[in-house]
Amino acid sequence: MSTETQNRTTPFAGTTIPVRHNPVSQRKQLHREKSAAWTIEKQVPLTMEEIEGIMIDLTRKFGFQQDNMRNQFEAYMTMLDSRASRMSAVQALLTLHADYIGGEHANYRKWYFAAQLDLDDHMGYHSAPGRDKKVNRNSMAPQPGAVNVEAHDSLAMAEEHWKNRMNQMSHFDRARQVALYMLIWGEASQIRFLPECLSFIYKCADDYYMSPECQQLVNPVPEGEYLRKVVTPLYRFIRDQCYEVQAGKYVKREKDHNEVIGYDDINQAFWSPEGIERIQLDDKSRLVDVHIGKRWTELGRVNWGSAFRKTYIEKRTWLHLAVNFTRIWIIHVVTFWYFTAYNAPFLYMNEGEDEIGVQWSVVALGGAIATAIMLLGVFCEFMFIPLTWSNTSMLIRRLIILVVIFVINFGPTVYICAFNRTGSVSKIIGICQFIISLITTLVFAIVPSNQLFGASSKTTRKNLASQTFTASFPKLNRSDRALSLFLWTLVFLCKLVESYFFLARSFRDPLKALYAERIPNCKDKYLGQSLCTIMPIFTVIIMFFVDLVLFFLDTYLWYVIWNTIFSVFQSFKLGISIWTPWRNIFSRLPKRIYAKLLATADMDIKYKPKVLCSQVWNAIVISMYREHLLSIEHVQRLLYQQVPSENENKRTLKAPTFFVAQEDASLQTEFYPQHSEAERRITFFAQSLSTPIPEPLPVDQMPTFTVLVPHYSEKTLLSLREIIREEDQNTRVTLLEYLKQLHPVEWDNFVRDTKILAEESTMFGSSGGLGLSGESDKESREMGKSKNDDLPFYCIGFKSAAPEYTLRTRIWASLRAQTLYRTVSGFMNYSKAIKLLYRVENPEVVQQFGGNGDRLERELERLSSQKFKFVVSMQRFTKFNKEEMENAEFLLSTYPQLQIAYLDERPPEVEGEGPVVYSVLIDGHCEKMPDGKRKPRFRIRLPGNPILGDGKSDNQNHSIIFTRGEYLQLVDANQDNYLEEALKIRNVLGEFEQFHTPAISPYSAQIESKDVPEPVAIVGAREYIFSENIGVLGDVAAGKEQTFGTLTQRMMAKIGGKLHYGHPDFLNFIYMTTRGGVSKAQKGLHLNEDIYAGMTAFNRGGRIKHTEYYQCGKGRDLGFGSILNFNTKIGTGMGEQMLSREYYYMGTQLPLDRFLTFYYAHPGFHINNIFIMLSVQLFLFSMLFIGAMASSVEICSDVSEDGCVNLVPVYDWIKRCVLSIFIVFFIAFLPLFLQEFMERGFARSIIRLGKHFMSLSPLFEVFVTQIYTNSILTNLSFGGARYIATGRGFATTRTPFALLYSRFAGPSLYLGMRALVMLVFASLTMWVPHLIYFWVSVLALVVSPFIFNPHQFSFVDFLLDYREFLRWLSRGNSRTHVSSWISYCRTLRTRITGYKRKRLGHPSEKLGGDIPKANFWVIFVSEIVFPMIQMMLCVICYMFVRSFPDENAQGEAVFTSGLLRVGVFALGPLILNAGVLAALFGVSIVLGPFMNLCCAKFGSIMAAVAHAVAVLGMVMFFEALWALEAWNTSHAVLGVIAAISVQRFVFKILITFFLTREFKHDETNRAWWTGKWHGRGLGFHAISQPLREYLCKIIEMTMFACDFIMGHVIMFILFPVCLIPWVDRWHSTMLFWLRPSKQIRPPILSAKRRWVAWTYGVLFAFMFVVFVMLIVGPIVFHQYLPSHLERLVPI
């Protein structure tokens, strides 16, 4: 193709495609450059010209875009060439056709039979058997080669017929079918996410091609017809589900997933004949009634809106867990019932009587419980699957059978317990019932629910689609399946034994002590003695639930332990561990390079292995030198060098002593800095080659592959300004200074290299560039020797601002940060590796070129570009600013082979529609146009804006058409790669098991279905987290990623539980793109987009492997906020996954062992986090109840004593619970310890773990657990999952207190403070030393954000923080302020109320988001029911302690009511605030219009008065409560707990039932305080809003008081730390892991800022004194304060 043709783009509205006639010379050139293996010499079945002719013909007949055709032609030839390089050309075409269309594992073939299209083909209309349909009889002519329908209904016969048809097909037809599929796919845009819809479109197109109408076509179809008629209507249907177009802008609809017909719903419509039948044309006729040859032309008339419906309802509710994970609940709840019921016979048996039958029967109720859980699952399933006749009948049948089983399991208990408790008959019935119970439990626990009660056969037509697309799980080989079963047997064996003795059996004594306990002398004024009777029972119930939750947690604990042990043994077996005795990794390294990295089987024997190996090794060492990892001295010690040999005329190669020295302690030489990056890379390289590795193919036979990087706004290259200037006033160090401290050796090497370069430049007369003009060379050299003269080099890396020097410093810094440049330069090592391997393996080629290095380099470049492609999908490319565009251009000029795909928008063709969008590809070879832009290679029009989801998946999808070859590597823009790892690329691609294809047609009768192995869909790889050691948080994040990516993945891949996690996985291109692509894209639902592609591949039979010998670099988040943003994204993404159909398919269809692997590796981790935090809260509630009894009743150790309560067994139970929760938290450190131990040795693992503990990382772990829990709970209740840009910079910036408080108050601080108050009560009433751990954990929930904030304890900054906190509290009442307490408060509220519809263009609309309002019943459960339960528990405890008599003045016992007192002190502040607000409202209405003219801050003053009254009222009510409790601190604290719970419940009621939707602006808040309601843009809402705002303000006043007090309490907790000498330096050492001598001086503050700090310091000290006096005063001076106020005040 000519350059002109390649770069031409034409608008295609109404145009036709001219036939192109390429000159022969150009075709030959294309042959030579692009398709070296697809040549006449290889006896190709079709020449490239013939294939091009096919594609031109198809383009003319179907109206494809010309650039799409050229793009797909290039992709097609690349694919054929890739395969033909290692097999015959005929076989290449055959296997390609088999993978796309007709092979055993081709998705099109699977769909063809699942949707019963074979019957359709044979009759010419849709004729599934057993259906009476009115059809057009003229369209019923049987197709050529048809057999009779009845015979064809046999699936086996149909498949046999298919294979014969494929085998008899001509090469031309095979090539045409593949070409047609690729052309349809290449222009399909969002339809690429719908593989079966795409198959249907292809089927219609293929049928049309064979029809006479198509063959007789004279005039070509207009270009773009396919896009207009087929793709655009489907795209618009998808778009309109989530968006509406207003004035050319996309506005999100307020719909949750259950109302959106998403990609999966649309795709599933094509799975079955019934779904395809629903497709109607605009005249209401059915598409299936049209002859198959004419359907393509009718697709433009299809009314897609009537064709699709929900096929799975992603209703936002917790009940998904009841359906998907039924077996988990059965295993745990029923087993716990068995254990507890057996150990507590005293609860249901009469003492002294022989009621053994009763015990058998009650224990056997576990079967009834298992059935009840199954029934709950079935009832919930009615909510999630569409109630078609077949679905409903199946569920009703299952329901009836379950009810019968429930009666069988429950009936005998009724008989035995009610009618026949003793005797042998009851015993026999009880034993039989227990056996039935065990069988019931085992069946329900083991058999997937979708296979219960008459599952369909896999070989019949019925449910074939469901089986094909949702349950074709890849099989494990025998040894791996045995390992899987053995692992889970061990886990549950250990778990059941430990849980029985540690939890269930030990629960017996406290249960026995409490269940029959009666509290003496206890009576409530209104409720009498009933409360005192149920108090022990409530306590027992809460303790039971604590034990049940711990029972769940135990399983995860044992899973982590055994999975880690098995994984460690696996690493030992593979030879990855440094403890493997036979490793000798360094001394054998040269031989292993030769044997494992080089394809030497066909090489001439005359080339010595040593010579070949030396070239590879030297290239690796030199690459490290160029990256400044090694000094020149180290390089000289590591290189193979030529030395004179004994024969004087020859020189010989001398191997470096390095290989021997590593295993010989006597040879003490430093080859690289200790614990350096060079050491790590060389060690891993040597270690990895000691493991089993697939054999490589010669370079010219290796398959072509592409690296794909999605890019949004990540930094490409750091600017000079960014690296040598501090980010803002909160940053203490420049980026360059910080990097120099992190990489001192590499900086020294860089500086030495730069100085050498500078001296060379000076010698060659370039002194002007170094700032030395006007001086002699001699003088400049003398100055160069001066240390002072070298200071600029060591400070900033250059002495002159000349671009060539500043650029070097920028690149050095960019290669050590998380930048796109680092990623591109790293993965471009593939190109270097391919060239190197080809040169080494083909010395004769080098000799052919003689000394012509340029020609040789061109040849190597051609080969490299043939085998490796690199595409960066820059979504924002056209919106880049000048600096970003320059950086992108720098990438292209540095790496011309790099390709950039981007979206180009043009103005809309129709008024009101969205812009016209093109998908464009450029590379470094594209010529520049006059405007500075590059002329595109391809420019393909899209049906509309492709970014309909969360971004990344759509970005990948639009650019995937520009990738080439058989495999894709998906990489993120914060990764890195190395030359020595790139050399293993052929070995990694060998994991796909397609290197040695049998030389027999895949359609041959000799090949049976069972002989075709399941394809490998994904090959995972290890990641090295290069952000480890960058402070405690960076290292914790790196450690988690490291263990997940190695230790966990190793075992998951082995036992069949690994999925796809995005990076740096390799994907089988054809397998994935014919099954919906490399990720999924429905907005919100597919937030964790990568894992869905893995689940799709897994459900459809694709194997997923993991490699241990190959790794890429990966950056992780480094700061507290960014790490928790990432965790929030993962947590909310998991919440969305739990709603998804994939979890339903896997949860209800996987066999037990593989289900457990899937569960505990994915949702189980997050559910475990929820259970951990639930256990903490339940435990604290149990402490409330136990503490209430301990503080009110005398404790004794004998249950038979009167007038006291035996709590000794309960105290033992408390100690066991604390120990259990402690172990569950700290088991998280075991995988990292063992991973480090196996790969780096005992000392390194102890040091790393020690640094974690000394840096308080356990506090961080507690906080992270809560963030995960909160994010998933919030998501399942309210939704709102969205992509969070986590920020990958270095965390050196101090975050203000107010910002941290507002970010983490909702997720953690409120919960932590409530837990802290409960813990204070528990400690006051029943102290045991074990509670110290709980104090640490609960404090972690409150102070972690501040402890891990850089320079948090800098004294002056702390005082400035206080000022900012007070300003944050008071801002936003006179004028709009995003960072204000009122804005934060409204945001918290709106997740319940929702927002009013968006008004475009309103200036303060940005304050609101796009989250749809949550479902009322979900809100009711989460926001009303749970707070009500918590309130009832707290109030019961307080009422109990108030149920013991006070003495009146006459000494008589007086019983009071705690309920009345709680009501007064909970609602009193609200009533006070309501009164004050009413008065202030009147003032603002009267005075506001006048005061606003002269006093701009009138609104702020009014708000300040109300807020001050609220705070003072809250404090006064607390002190009054304490006084009424006769200064009994524990009772006062319990009263506060109860009052807080009542207030919280009241607020939830008010917000849920009485508040309407929130405006997205804050006009109503400012109107309230200023009294100015007109001119606010409220319209008719101005009438109703004052009353609504009055309710809001009542809630806000109490919340303000709580936030004011809570913020001060947290600052008071932190303040003493600020007084420790040099605390900032030690704190920085803890966070950054930098020695104090390496740290940066504190900032120089202006006199004004210091004065402000000290002013607010005085205010802070005053508040601190007041706070201390309010708390300490009554405790110390209570004898001087009025007592027995309760006698005067009757509450």
Side-chain angles (χ1 to χ4, degrees), residues 1315-1336:
L1316 196 62
V1317 178
M1318 293 165 81
L1319 194 56
V1320 167
F1321 173 75
S1323 301
L1324 289 170
T1325 54
M1326 41 166 296
W1327 173 256
V1328 288
H1330 294 67
L1331 289 182
I1332 292 171
Y1333 169 69
F1334 254 80
W1335 272 96
V1336 173

Side-chain angles (χ1 to χ4, degrees), residues 341-361:
Y342 175 73
N343 278 295
F346 47 82
L347 290 175
Y348 51 81
M349 290 171 68
N350 296 315
E351 200 173 340
E353 294 193 28
D354 181 20
E355 295 181 346
I356 193 71
V358 173
Q359 184 171 19
W360 278 107
S361 182

Side-chain angles (χ1 to χ4, degrees), residues 521-569:
N521 197 26
C522 168
K523 182 176 136 185
D524 185 80
K525 184 175 182 180
Y526 302 119
L527 301 179
Q529 294 186 337
S530 57
L531 182 67
C532 308
T533 305
I534 63 170
M535 188 68 180
I537 297 168
F538 266 116
T539 308
V540 164
I541 291 171
I542 293 175
M543 289 168 65
F544 173 85
F545 279 108
V546 172
D547 261 21
L548 178 58
V549 172
L550 292 175
F551 191 80
F552 275 93
L553 290 175
D554 266 357
T555 313
Y556 192 80
L557 177 86
W558 284 107
Y559 162 71
V560 169
I561 291 170
W562 279 113
N563 190 63
T564 305
I565 291 170
F566 273 60
S567 187
V568 163
F569 273 106

